[in-house]
Every structure is written in C-alpha cells, then in structure tokens.
Amino acid sequence: MLGGVLSEINWRMIFFVNLLVGLLALFLLALFLLTRTRRSPRRADTPFDWTGQLTAVAAMGGLTYAAIEAGAVGLTAPRVLVALLVAVVAGAGFLIAQAHGRNPMVPLPLLRERTMAISASIGFALNVGFYGMIFLLSLDLQQEHGLSPLATGLAFLPMTLLTAFVSPTAAWSARKFGPRMPVITGQLAMATGLMLLCIPRASAPTWLMVLLMIPVGTGGGLAVPAVTSLLLDRVPAERAGTASGVLNSARQVGGALAVAGFGALVARHATFFHSLRTRRLTAAGLVLLTTAAGLLLRPAPRQ
C-alpha cells in the first residue's frame, strides 16, 4: 500500500523506503556491537570475513544486474557480459575464500549438508514464486485491468492479511503433524495458486485475480517459518546464525532474480498475457520440484 501511495507521487520514491530501513538496521547493529564489546571485549575481536562478504555481494549484484539488463539490451551486450563475468569471478573468489579462509563467513561443509541444501533450495523457489507473482500480477492489474498503483496495492491487501494470520500457525501445524507437513503443504498451496492464476483470461474480473493470489501468499507464509525451524533444529547451535543467514540469502536472491528475469522475459515477449502465463507456470514448476525435494527433509531427533 505504501508503494502504491509513493508511486502516485514518484515511483522512484519507493526505493527510499529500503534506504531508511537499511540505515536503521545499521544503527541497531552498531548499537548491538558496541554493547557486546563493553560486556565481552574478547568476543569483539572475532575476525570479520571481508573477502567473503565483498565477493558474495559482488557475485549476487553482478548476476542480478545482468538479469535485469539482458531484457533491455540482450544477453550479448557488453555490459551484460561484464556483469556476468564479475558474478562468475566473484563467485569463484567466494568459494576459494570460504574453503581456505581462517574465519569463513559460510563454512563449505555447512553448504554440503543435505538439510541446508534442500532448505536453501526451498527458500529460493518460494521467493521466486511469491515475488515473481507479485511483480507479474502488479503489471497485469495496472496494464490489463487499468488499476492505479494505489488500487493495485489495495488489491494485495487480502493476501497480505491472510499471510500474516497463517504464518503463526506453522508452529502449531509442525507440533501436531510433524515439521515437514507445513513445508510441503505450503509449497503445494503456492504451486496450486500459481497454476490457478494461469486459468482466467485477460478480461477476468479483478476480484477473481485477488482471490486466486491468496494461496500463493498463504502458502509461502506457512512454509517459510516451518522450513526455517526445521533447518535450525538440524544444524549445530554454533552454526544456527550462519544457517539462517544462508537460508535468507537464498530467499532474497530468488526474489531478486525472479523480478529481474521475469521482467526481462516479459519485456521481450510479443504477447504480454501469454508471457505472464508462461512465467507463472515456470515458477509453479520450480516450486513443485522443491516440494519433491522437501520430502527428503528429516526432522531432528527428539531430545
């Protein structure tokens, strides 16, 4: 809703929201580190993995930039090729730093663990489906249904409210039916919603599109807390922070690449509505693939 309000003024203003949140996060982090230093000076001396941090940012930034620009100028454009080269070189540098560094940000043995790999894949696919749906549907509602940015933001409100209501039920579902149940159920709900969004024609009423997006949001709201909890129950306590960081990074990369990649493909496609349907089916297929992988997840043994 805030994005719709700001877009009515100037669409560039939406990015300042993230800037303010980022500055607040940096302030809180600095406050936390200062407090920890005073309480435990020895812990403040923990080395910071500058190489891992910088190469990870360069790799993800180069890949996302290449995906965005490829839709406008083509995959063989010089700046796209340079961005891909930066992503590859930085990614290789990240792996080398994590394999041979004294204090790696993400120890490679953690990435090789099955639970970590499957959880990261599920998180990636869920955000591809969720943010890809939001991006494509916002285009559909404005370009095909004639809604304003503010009205489009309001159209997402039912899904948002129900998602906020469903998320806390993930813990109850995990206790009652096992930790895998909300993960699998959430993924199936999202995949079903994405496929249902492919059925209506371009002239379908707006209220129908609003109803059909609800399973996508609620499915993600059910699966994400559950897969996070299942992952943290399986990794050693000293790696819990790293594991949750890897999972969240995989999710955010999935969302960024979904918006960049789907936007590039839609921009280059001759038929807008047909392209939307193809992208939704692609996201649904990816979610179903990780749903099958989720069957391999094993809960931690009871203490």
Side-chain angles (χ1 to χ4, degrees):
M1 291 175 60
L2 179 59
V5 172
L6 295 177
S7 295
E8 296 285 358
I9 304 172
N10 189 315
W11 65 270
R12 293 173 178 83
M13 293 182 65
I14 63 176
F15 298 105
F16 286 98
V17 176
N18 290 336
L19 178 61
L20 295 175
V21 173
L23 291 174
L24 176 61
L26 287 174
F27 170 76
L28 294 175
L29 177 61
L31 189 64
F32 166 74
L33 292 177
L34 181 62
T35 304
R36 191 180 71 167
T37 301
R38 291 174 176 174
R39 292 179 178 177
S40 180
R42 291 184 178 181
R43 293 188 63 185
D45 295 333
T46 302
F48 188 81
D49 185 10
W50 285 104
T51 304
Q53 291 280 356
L54 294 177
T55 52
V57 170
M60 291 187 288
L63 183 60
T64 305
Y65 179 83
I68 293 173
E69 291 299 306
V73 298
L75 189 60
T76 58
R79 64 174 178 262
V80 174
L81 294 177
V82 170
L84 288 174
L85 180 61
V86 169
V88 172
V89 173
F94 174 80
L95 292 177
I96 293 173
Q98 302 313 292
H100 301 288
R102 297 181 59 183
N103 297 280
M105 178 177 68
V106 182
L108 293 186
L110 176 65
L111 297 180
R112 290 193 290 264
E113 293 181 5
R114 182 175 66 175
T115 303
M116 181 74 260
I118 294 176
S119 298
S121 301
I122 291 174
F124 179 90
L126 287 172
N127 270 33
V128 167
F130 182 71
Y131 287 107
M133 181 273 296
I134 288 180
F135 174 70
L136 295 176
L137 200 55
S138 65
L139 291 178
D140 187 19
L141 292 175
Q142 293 179 73
Q143 297 186 17
E144 300 295 321
H145 292 76
L147 269 63
S148 67
L150 178 57
T152 301
L154 291 173
F156 285 106
L157 189 58
M159 178 194 69
T160 305
L161 293 176
L162 286 174
T163 300
F165 175 77
V166 166
S167 291
T169 67
W172 175 85
S173 300
R175 288 195 301 268
K176 190 171 183 62
F177 303 105
R180 288 191 304 174
M181 194 284 295
V183 178
I184 302 300
T185 303
Q187 290 182 97
L188 290 176
M190 176 176 285
T192 301
L194 290 169
M195 289 186 288
L196 289 175
L197 283 168
C198 299
I199 298 176
R201 298 182 178 180
S203 58
T206 302
W207 63 264
L208 179 60
M209 307 303 292
V210 171
L211 288 178
L212 292 180
M213 74 172 77
I214 290 176
V216 180
T218 55
L222 184 64
V224 169
V227 74
T228 304
S229 176
L230 194 150
L231 170 65
L232 296 183
D233 283 342
R234 293 289 300 181
V235 299
E238 64 274 10
R239 290 188 175 180
T242 302
S244 63
V246 171
L247 175 60
N248 281 309
S249 296
R251 291 179 55 216
Q252 302 313 319
V253 170
L257 291 181
V259 174
F262 288 177
L265 294 172
V266 168
R268 298 178 65 87
H269 206 284
T271 306
F272 178 76
F273 184 74
H274 177 73
S275 180
L276 292 181
R277 181 173 293 173
T278 304
R279 303 288 83 77
R280 288 165 182 161
L281 287 175
T282 302
L286 179 61
V287 174
L288 287 175
L289 184 63
T290 57
T291 302
L295 296 174
L296 300 176
L297 289 172
R298 293 290 182 268
R302 291 185 178 274
Q303 300 298 323

